[in-house]
Amino acid sequence: MALPRLNGCWSALRLLPRAGSAWLPGRGAVRPLSSKPDPRPLLSALLSTVKRASGRYERFLERRFPRFYLLYATSHRGFKALFLEAIEIRKIKINMAHQGISFQQLPYRDMERLRQFRRDLIKAIPVSLLSLPPFANYFVLVLIYLFPRQLLIHYFWTPKQQVEFLNIYHGMRREAYPDIIDGLARATQFVADQQIRDPMQRLCTKVQQGSHPGVAELHAVRSLFSGHPLGLNRLRIWQEKALSRVLFLTPHLPTIFLRYRLQNHVQEIQHLDRAMLKLGVKELSDEEVNRWDHKMGLCPASQPVLDGR
């Protein structure tokens, strides 16, 4: 009789809940409960608190220090836009690698975005390297405050600065146009073919008098720009420097580097032009049209600059 009672007690002990387990009457044993709290509600509450504090701080700056708030808001928007643009550039690079296509085969918008981001990096890298030494960042901040057009990329320009810098760039182009037209007129004098020389001379005179040439007049003399004396490889150094000023390229470079950069820039414009025609001019937004006009020298003064040097 003792043996059956022992077996029954052992069976009853096996039904009892184990140490560390939760047990509810009528439901038997359940899975152990985790002692770690869920961090998501705490993180969400923390982010909400930071967001409210940031909003109050921005309203305080806007009310008490409007000029400083303008710089603060411009920097905040600039870093955000630059970060989003870097994400898009990474996507374009990944698609180029997966599809095995080159820069010349990209759609217009991707090609323009990649080109502009590359120019922004070329402009931003020297400033970043200059601020690397200890305490040099304070000196760089002073330089940025004094020369924002030369040192900052367009993400960090205020709306007022964008319009102001647009007028400056347009003025720089106007200063270079007379030298280019005079050079065209002098170079055309040595053209042997009178049927091309005379229309080019009349075209230069018309532009110097303030008139705009027609498309048919430009097509009549386009053969002069593919060989001697006005081909890109036949230009003299002063002509290359004048053309670089019009295209917002630094003219203070050795001849070999100046010609190489000028040829690359002209080729990029040709690729962009073909991609834009493939997309269709009617598909461009107003902002894209204004950006292209600025690149081609037809810059409306009411629109902001989006293509820094």
Side-chain angles (χ1 to χ4, degrees), residues 57-277:
Y57 176 68
E58 291 179 358
R59 289 191 295 270
F60 170 77
L61 289 179
E62 186 177 9
R63 185 174 60 255
R64 296 295 184 88
F65 308 99
R67 297 182 62 182
F68 179 78
Y69 172 77
L70 179 61
L71 297 177
Y72 168 80
T74 302
S75 301
H76 184 268
R77 288 194 301 265
F79 279 113
K80 183 178 180 181
L82 183 60
F83 177 75
L84 296 177
E85 188 69 13
I87 294 177
E88 294 298 326
I89 293 298
R90 183 175 180 272
K91 292 179 181 179
I92 295 175
K93 288 287 190 179
I94 292 176
N95 292 335
M96 290 175 62
H98 287 173
Q99 299 177 10
I101 59 177
S102 60
F103 173 82
Q104 295 81 2
Q105 298 171 314
L106 287 173
Y108 170 76
R109 291 187 174 94
D110 291 346
M111 187 184 298
E112 170 62 20
R113 174 170 281 176
L114 190 61
R115 172 185 174 275
Q116 181 61 47
F117 191 78
R118 186 185 306 163
R119 291 168 66 88
D120 290 339
L121 284 182
I122 294 175
K123 187 175 182 179
I125 286 176
V127 181
S128 302
L129 294 178
L130 188 61
S131 60
L132 287 180
F135 304 104
N137 53 342
Y138 299 104
F139 176 69
V140 173
L141 288 177
V142 174
L143 291 179
I144 288 176
Y145 180 78
L146 296 176
F147 308 101
R149 178 176 62 88
Q150 293 85 352
L151 300 179
L152 288 178
I153 57 180
H154 63 88
Y155 295 105
F156 302 97
W157 291 347
T158 63
K160 182 180 178 180
Q161 286 175 335
Q162 291 180 1
V163 177
E164 178 185 353
F165 297 161
L166 173 62
N167 295 329
I168 293 176
Y169 284 136
H170 196 57
M172 293 167 59
R173 274 178 167 154
R174 288 199 305 265
E175 293 177 358
Y177 286 151
D179 295 337
I180 291 179
I181 301 302
D182 293 342
L184 289 176
R186 291 198 302 268
T188 309
Q189 297 175 358
F190 302 98
V191 177
D193 191 350
Q194 185 178 359
Q195 295 181 352
I196 301 179
R197 182 181 67 247
D198 292 345
M200 188 64 190
Q201 290 286 345
R202 290 194 298 268
L203 188 62
C204 292
T205 303
K206 184 177 181 179
V207 173
Q208 288 173 340
Q209 293 175 352
S211 301
H212 291 279
V215 177
E217 295 176 297
L218 296 175
H219 276 276
V221 297
R222 61 180 180 177
S223 60
L224 286 174
F225 297 90
S226 58
H228 181 79
L230 300 178
L232 193 59
N233 295 326
R234 304 294 183 88
L235 297 179
R236 297 183 179 180
I237 182 62
W238 66 268
Q239 293 173 321
E240 293 178 350
K241 289 185 176 181
L243 188 58
S244 297
R245 290 165 57 196
V246 171
L247 297 176
F248 294 152
L249 300 176
T250 303
H252 309 293
L253 291 175
T255 304
I256 184 171
F257 294 107
L258 182 64
R259 180 168 299 177
Y260 174 78
R261 192 178 183 190
L262 186 61
Q263 290 177 349
N264 285 345
H265 188 81
V266 171
Q267 289 177 358
E268 285 184 353
I269 293 179
Q270 290 178 343
H271 296 319
L272 284 170
D273 199 6
R274 295 191 186 103
M276 183 184 64
L277 293 177

